[in-house]
Amino acid sequence: MVTSLDFERILCATGPYEGEILRASDKKHPSKIAWLQCVGSRRVTAGDNPYCSAVCCAYTQKQVILTKEHNQNAECVIFHNDIRAYGKDFETYYQRTENFPGVKFIRSYASVVKENPQNKNIIIRYVDPKDGVKEEEFDMAVLSVGLNPPADHRKIAEKFQIKLNSYGFCKTDSSNPMQTTREGIFISGAFCGPSDIPESVFSAGGAGSQCGELLNYRRDKLTEERIYPPEIDQAEKEPKIGVFVCHCGANIGRIVDIPSTVEYSLTLPNVVYACEQLFSCATNSAKEITEAIKVKGLNRVVIAACSPRTLEPLFRDTLREAGINQYFCEMANIREHNSWVHSKEKEDATQKAKDIIKMSAARAAHLEPLKEIDLPVNKTALVIGGGVAGMTCALSIAKQNHPVYLIEKNKELGGVAKNICYLLEDLDIRNHMDNLISEIYKHPLIRVRIEADITEAYGYVGNFETKIEYKNQTEKIEHGATVIAIGAQEYKPKEYLYGKDERVVTNLQLEDLIDKRDKTVINAKNIVIIQCVGCRNEDRNYCSRICCSESIKNGLKLKEINPSADIYILFRDIRTYGFKEDYYRQAADKDIKFIRYKPEAAPEVKAIDKGLRVAAHDYILDRKIAINADIIGLAAAVIPPEDNKKISQLFKVPLGPDSFFKEAHVKLRPVEFGTDGVYLCGTAHYPKHISETISQAYGAAGRVLTLLSRDMVTVSGSVCEVDEKKCIGCEACISICSYNAIELRKTKRGGKAFVNPILCKGDGLCNAKCPTGAISLKHFTDKEIISQIEAAA
C-alpha cells in the first residue's frame, strides 16, 4: 500500500525503480491496482480534512493512464465518491480513462481490511449496489491523499503577521483571492487553498501584477540588460551537428531506448557529438548544451525531445548563450509524435525516434542564420469585455501607468455578474460590482467604450490597430497588447418544459426570484433543482464547473427564507471542490435532499393538475420515484457567446472543441495565446467562479505588463520573402494571407508581391499557394524540407 505521491515517484524515471511499477515488498509487477479516493479529505473525523482537495480525481486518472501505458493488461479500479472533473478538458480526460479496457470506477467508500500474509496482497472491502458488501484482493493499493497547508503555516503566518482560515490555509478576501489580511502581502498557489496547476500559475501572475501596482514607481530602476556573447559567423562553415536526446523523465525514456538512439545519432552525416539528458529543459542541461557547443565546436544543434511549441524559445536562447545564431537549433519531436502515441510498441518507437532524428539532422545541415527584428512597443492596452474579468484586468494595467481602452458591446458594464444577487462566500457582489464600475469610470487612464462593435483588427505584437463602431462613427485604436475577456452566457434549455411552463426556470432566474422574494418561490413547499442541464452531453462535453455550487447556494437561501420547504437536488456528481465542500455539507445538514441520476436515465418532467411532477430513478433505493414540485430550477450550462468565432477570426486566436478560447498551454501559459501580444481571462477561457475570474484577470494583467513595460519587442526571423524574378503578380498569395502581410507593388517589371516582414507570421500558406514558387519561407526552405524527405525515404 502506497500513497499517491509515493506512486508518482514509482512512475518517475528518476524514482526508486527507474520508472518500472514494482511492489516494495517483493519487487513484483502489480497487475491489479486499486485507488482509494478522498483519503484525508471530505471527512469530518478527527485528523481528517472536511474540505475537498480539488486535485485528487484528476491526478488519479493520470496515474491510471500511465499505469495502463506501462502494462496494458493491468486491472485498475478507482473507488470514489463524486468524480470532480470540473477543470478545462477534465471531463473528456475522465471519459478517456473510464473507456480504457480493464479500468473500473466504483462509487463506494472503501476500507483496507488486511494484508494477505501469503502473497502480500491487499484485501479491500466496499459496497456494490447489486451485491452489497464485498471483499476483493489487489496486488497494490494507492491512497489518493489530499492537500494540507504547509507544515510550518503557523510560523509563516506569525512571521508575516497574516491570518489563517480555520483549516490553516491563508485567509484571503473573496474580492481579491491573492490579498492576505495584511496590506502589501500577496499569496499564490495552493496556500490560498487546494488548487490545480493552471490556477496556481495565474494566481502567481496575479500576485505579481498587484506587486507591480505598488512598486510601479521603482519599475526599470534596478534592471540590467542581458548581454549575449558576440555571434560567431557559422554560415559558410562545414556543418558540425550535436544531438541531445532527452528522456523527458519517463515520458520518452520509458518507451524509447535512449542509449541506442544516441549511439545511432553518431553514425549520421555531419553529427560529431551526441549525448542523452534526463531533462533537456533543465538549467544544468542547458549549461551542458552551451559547453558542448563551445568545446566541440558545434555549429548546429538537434534537440530530440518534445514539441517546439513550448520549449523552442528556451533552446534557441541556449544557442545564443554559446555565441551561435539561434536559428541553427532544430527540434526533433520524439515525444508527442512518437513515445506518447506508440507507448505499446517500444521497438518501433525506438526506430521511429531514430528516423525523426535522422530527418532533423539532415535539415539542420541546411539551416541558415536569420536575424530578428526589433520593434517599438505601444504602451496602451485594449481590453475587450466589460465584465468582472475585463474591468479587473483593465484597472490593474491602468494602476501601473498604462492607458487602457475598455470595450463593451452592451449598454452598461458588468456582464453576467450584474445579474448575480449573492454568492456562497462573504463577498457582497453587488457592492463589489458598483465599486469596480465606479473605479473604472474614475480612473484617468481608462477610456470606456460601451455599445461598441469591433469591425477590424490587424497588426502585430506591440503594435496593433483595432477599429470599432462607436456612437455611429468609426474609431481607430492603436495599442500594444490585447486582452480578450468577453465572458460567457447561460444556456437557454430546450428540455424539462423550459419556456413552456413559467414554473420551470434556470438557476440564474431562480436566484433573481428569490432575491425579489417572489411569493410563488418563497412559499413553495417542494422545489426540485436538476443538475447538468445542457452540458456533460454530446452537444457540450464539458462540466460547467459552477452549477453545483450555484444550486446549493439557491437551496440554502431558500431554506433560510422558508425552513419547512422540501428541496431536492438531482445530480450526477456534486462538484463542490475546495472549501465549497463546507456548503455541500451544510445543505445536507439542513435536509436538502440529494438524489443521483445517470445520464441514460435522466429525470422526466411533466405538468400535472396542480403543479409539476419530476420522475427519476433513485440508485440508493434502486427504484423509480416521483416528486411533485411547485418550482423547478435548472442548473443550465455556461456556454461560450456567439461573438467568440468573430473575435477569434479578428485576432487570429484559436477556439477549443467546446468553442471557448484555447490558451497557448493549459498549464504553463493559461492566460496567453500562441499569437504574441494577445491574452485572455475570465469565462471567455472556461466557466469559473467569480473569485477564480478575478485571480485570472490579475494574472492576464501581469502578462500584459511584461510586454508593455518593455520599450522594444523582437519578432521572428522566420518570415516569407519573394523572388521578384519568379513572381507573376497573380495575387494568389494576397488572397490567402490571414495577416494582411502581402501587398502588390509596382516595379519596372510590373506588379510584384511584397511581404511585410513585421506583419508576416510565417505560417507558410502563401508559400504553398504560389503557382510559380516565387515565395519561400525562411527556416522552412524547400532545400531544408526536401532534405528531411530524402532522409526519411
Side-chain angles (χ1 to χ4, degrees):
M1 187 159 58
V2 296
T3 69
S4 48
L5 205 56
D6 294 332
F7 195 72
E8 198 81 21
R9 286 297 300 149
I10 291 171
L11 289 168
C12 187
T14 59
Y17 313 122
E18 298 180 331
E20 274 195 271
I21 301 177
L22 301 175
R23 300 200 307 187
S25 58
D26 53 17
K27 304 299 183 292
K28 287 183 179 177
H29 289 274
S31 58
K32 188 176 181 182
I33 306 176
W35 278 263
L36 279 65
Q37 296 295 97
C38 303
V39 175
S41 302
R42 300 187 68 189
R43 296 169 186 250
V44 292
T45 48
D48 291 321
N49 298 316
Y51 55 81
C52 165
S53 287
V55 300
C56 316
C57 290
Y59 76 58
T60 293
Q61 291 159 33
K62 177 196 75 174
Q63 290 180 349
V64 168
I65 288 175
L66 290 174
T67 300
K68 293 295 286 184
E69 287 177 356
H70 278 75
N71 177 8
Q72 60 182 338
N73 297 317
E75 188 178 341
C76 301
V77 180
I78 302 95
F79 295 102
H80 66 95
N81 185 352
D82 300 288
I83 290 294
R84 294 192 163 168
Y86 59 85
K88 190 170 187 177
D89 297 329
F90 281 18
E91 184 71 18
T92 51
Y93 196 75
Y94 164 43
Q95 291 166 3
R96 178 190 166 197
T97 310
E98 191 177 31
N99 290 332
F100 267 99
V103 172
K104 284 196 294 185
F105 283 81
I106 297 176
R107 189 183 291 266
S108 172
Y109 278 114
S111 58
V112 177
V113 179
K114 60 183 177 182
E115 180 185 273
N116 184 330
Q118 295 177 334
N119 56 17
K120 304 292 185 184
N121 286 352
I122 300 289
I123 297 170
I124 291 176
R125 181 182 295 150
Y126 64 95
V127 176
D128 183 272
K130 292 181 179 178
D131 301 330
V133 178
K134 290 179 69 176
E135 289 189 0
E136 193 170 344
E137 196 167 298
F138 292 87
D139 301 332
M140 179 183 278
V142 181
L143 306 181
S144 296
V145 294
L147 302 179
N148 287 332
D152 56 349
H153 59 285
R154 300 201 185 281
K155 271 188 188 176
I156 293 170
E158 190 178 329
K159 186 179 290 184
F160 291 99
Q161 297 174 32
I162 57 175
K163 292 181 180 178
L164 303 173
N165 67 16
S166 59
Y167 299 125
F169 292 92
C170 188
K171 187 175 183 180
T172 60
D173 184 344
S174 299
S175 65
N176 184 350
M178 291 137 296
Q179 175 65 62
T180 67
T181 51
R182 186 178 175 194
E183 193 174 350
I185 296 182
F186 304 95
I187 60 163
S188 63
F191 193 29
C192 306
S195 55
D196 212 334
I197 292 172
E199 288 78 15
S200 297
V201 171
F202 58 66
S203 70
S209 185
Q210 293 182 74
C211 289
E213 291 177 23
L214 298 178
L215 300 174
N216 186 57
Y217 71 100
R218 296 289 290 164
R219 197 181 297 278
D220 297 328
K221 299 291 193 297
L222 300 173
T223 54
E224 293 182 9
E225 186 179 354
R226 190 174 178 185
I227 306 296
Y228 290 95
E231 190 175 296
I232 303 165
D233 184 8
Q234 305 277 5
E236 302 301 323
K237 293 183 179 179
E238 186 76 16
K240 295 178 72 176
I241 302 171
V243 178
F244 298 85
V245 187
C246 179
H247 283 258
C248 194
N251 281 290
I252 299 171
R254 180 170 43 82
I255 309 299
V256 175
D257 184 343
I258 300 294
S260 167
T261 305
V262 170
E263 195 175 320
Y264 171 78
S265 300
L266 288 168
T267 68
L268 297 173
N270 301 307
V271 174
V272 298
Y273 178 75
C275 73
E276 59 186 276
Q277 295 179 313
L278 186 59
F279 289 100
S280 292
C281 57
T283 305
N284 63 309
S285 296
K287 287 180 180 176
E288 285 175 14
I289 295 169
T290 303
E291 285 303 309
I293 291 170
K294 292 176 181 177
V295 174
K296 305 292 182 181
L298 307 178
N299 54 26
R300 306 285 192 282
V301 170
V302 173
I303 309 289
C306 56
S307 164
R309 182 179 168 210
T310 305
L311 292 171
E312 188 174 54
L314 171 70
F315 294 122
R316 286 184 173 179
D317 192 69
T318 302
L319 267 65
R320 292 185 71 188
E321 288 282 2
I324 64 174
N325 189 279
Q326 61 180 312
Y327 288 91
F328 284 137
C329 176
E330 165 70 2
M331 288 194 71
N333 187 350
I334 61 170
R335 190 179 71 176
E336 285 86 344
H337 290 177
N338 187 32
S339 65
W340 278 5
V341 290
H342 301 299
S343 59
K344 298 177 179 65
E345 305 147 320
K346 296 187 178 183
E347 288 185 13
D348 289 340
T350 299
Q351 184 56 50
K352 185 176 177 181
K354 292 174 181 178
D355 290 341
I356 292 171
I357 292 169
K358 181 183 180 183
M359 293 166 69
S360 294
R363 179 172 184 264
H366 297 288
L367 293 176
E368 298 171 355
L370 300 177
K371 294 292 181 186
E372 297 191 326
I373 305 167
D374 288 333
L375 300 168
V377 175
N378 184 309
K379 301 291 187 176
T380 300
L382 174 72
V383 178
I384 306 167
V388 172
M391 289 192 290
T392 303
C393 184
L395 200 57
S396 184
I397 295 168
K399 284 179 179 179
Q400 296 176 67
N401 287 342
H402 289 279
V404 181
Y405 282 89
L406 181 61
I407 309 298
E408 171 55 49
K409 69 173 184 178
N410 295 316
K411 292 182 179 180
E412 60 180 3
L413 297 176
V416 174
K418 286 282 284 184
N419 301 321
I420 298 174
C421 307
Y422 45 83
L423 301 179
L424 273 174
E425 297 85 358
D426 56 1
L427 174 64
D428 183 338
I429 184 61
R430 284 176 168 164
N431 184 56
H432 176 74
M433 293 301 293
D434 289 343
N435 290 340
L436 190 56
I437 292 169
S438 175
E439 277 192 84
I440 287 288
Y441 279 112
K442 286 178 181 177
H443 202 289
L445 290 177
I446 298 178
R447 297 165 192 170
V448 179
R449 301 287 185 264
I450 55 173
E451 294 186 273
D453 181 47
I454 298 172
T455 56
E456 290 182 56
Y458 43 89
Y460 47 90
V461 58
N463 292 271
F464 293 101
E465 286 186 11
T466 300
K467 288 183 180 178
I468 63 169
E469 290 293 332
Y470 172 65
K471 291 186 175 179
N472 298 319
Q473 60 185 8
T474 300
E475 181 179 359
K476 184 173 78 173
I477 300 170
E478 296 180 346
H479 52 103
T482 307
V483 181
I484 295 173
I486 64 173
Q489 62 190 41
E490 186 184 48
Y491 166 67
K492 296 304 175 191
K494 298 178 177 65
E495 49 269 77
Y496 300 122
L497 300 183
Y498 181 83
K500 297 176 182 177
D501 193 311
E502 62 182 12
R503 293 165 297 184
V504 181
V505 295
T506 66
N507 255 345
L508 206 54
Q509 292 168 333
L510 179 60
E511 181 175 332
D512 184 56
L513 292 170
I514 295 168
D515 185 63
K516 289 174 179 174
R517 296 299 189 266
D518 181 272
K519 289 183 179 179
T520 307
V521 173
I522 62 174
N523 294 329
K525 293 180 179 178
N526 295 314
I527 299 122
V528 175
I529 300 174
I530 303 173
Q531 298 299 104
C532 300
V533 178
C535 63
R536 296 187 71 190
N537 57 25
E538 287 184 10
D539 294 333
R540 294 173 201 87
N541 194 18
Y542 60 85
C543 167
S544 288
R545 190 175 183 130
I546 65 171
C547 313
C548 292
S549 299
E550 292 301 296
S551 296
I552 287 170
K553 176 185 78 173
N554 285 338
L556 287 171
K557 184 62 74 172
L558 284 165
K559 275 290 188 181
E560 182 185 313
I561 296 166
N562 182 6
S564 64
D566 284 325
I567 300 171
Y568 302 84
I569 295 179
L570 276 55
F571 71 99
R572 288 174 60 184
D573 294 279
I574 291 293
R575 292 177 171 176
T576 46
Y577 57 92
F579 300 139
K580 289 181 172 59
E581 183 73 9
D582 291 344
Y583 301 103
Y584 180 22
R585 189 175 296 104
Q586 188 180 331
D589 289 344
K590 289 185 180 294
D591 201 27
I592 293 176
K593 300 167 184 69
F594 292 87
I595 300 171
R596 186 170 66 87
Y597 74 88
K598 292 182 178 179
E600 59 269 23
E604 298 169 1
V605 176
K606 67 177 181 178
I608 55 174
D609 291 342
K610 294 182 179 179
L612 298 162
R613 178 165 291 166
V614 181
H617 188 88
D618 187 316
Y619 284 89
I620 302 297
L621 301 175
D622 195 25
R623 63 187 176 93
K624 201 161 188 177
I625 60 169
I627 306 166
N628 290 342
D630 301 309
I631 293 289
I632 294 176
L634 304 180
V638 179
I639 63 173
E642 293 175 0
D643 283 351
N644 270 21
K645 190 172 182 181
K646 175 187 172 184
I647 296 297
S648 166
Q649 292 170 345
L650 283 169
F651 290 94
K652 314 295 186 298
V653 293
L655 298 174
D658 49 21
S659 293
F660 289 100
F661 286 98
K662 185 173 179 60
E663 64 280 70
H665 191 287
V666 67
K667 292 182 179 178
L668 303 180
R669 298 171 66 194
V671 297
E672 300 170 66
F673 288 106
T675 302
D676 292 337
V678 187
Y679 308 87
L680 83 159
C681 60
T683 52
H685 168 247
Y686 189 70
K688 50 180 67 68
H689 291 283
I690 283 181
S691 59
E692 295 165 335
T693 295
I694 292 168
S695 179
Q696 192 179 24
Y698 276 116
R703 296 306 301 156
V704 168
L705 263 295
T706 59
L707 170 60
L708 299 188
S709 61
R710 295 153 63 185
D711 295 322
M712 304 292 289
V713 66
T714 303
V715 295
S716 173
S718 179
V719 294
C720 291
E721 62 180 355
V722 178
D723 182 345
E724 284 191 3
K725 292 178 182 177
K726 294 181 180 179
C727 178
I728 58 173
C730 67
E731 301 187 27
C733 55
I734 296 174
S735 67
I736 203 168
C737 181
S738 304
Y739 302 96
N740 300 314
I742 308 174
E743 61 184 60
L744 203 66
R745 288 187 175 180
K746 290 182 180 179
T747 70
K748 292 178 181 178
R749 289 176 289 183
K752 302 291 182 181
F754 171 79
V755 178
N756 184 337
I758 295 170
L759 295 177
C760 180
K761 296 295 180 185
D763 62 10
L765 287 176
C766 59
N767 186 16
K769 184 80 171 177
C770 180
T772 63
I775 299 183
S776 61
L777 174 57
K778 296 178 181 179
H779 202 57
F780 296 93
T781 63
D782 288 354
K783 184 189 286 186
E784 292 164 5
I785 302 298
I786 289 168
S787 68
Q788 286 185 289
I789 295 168
E790 288 176 346

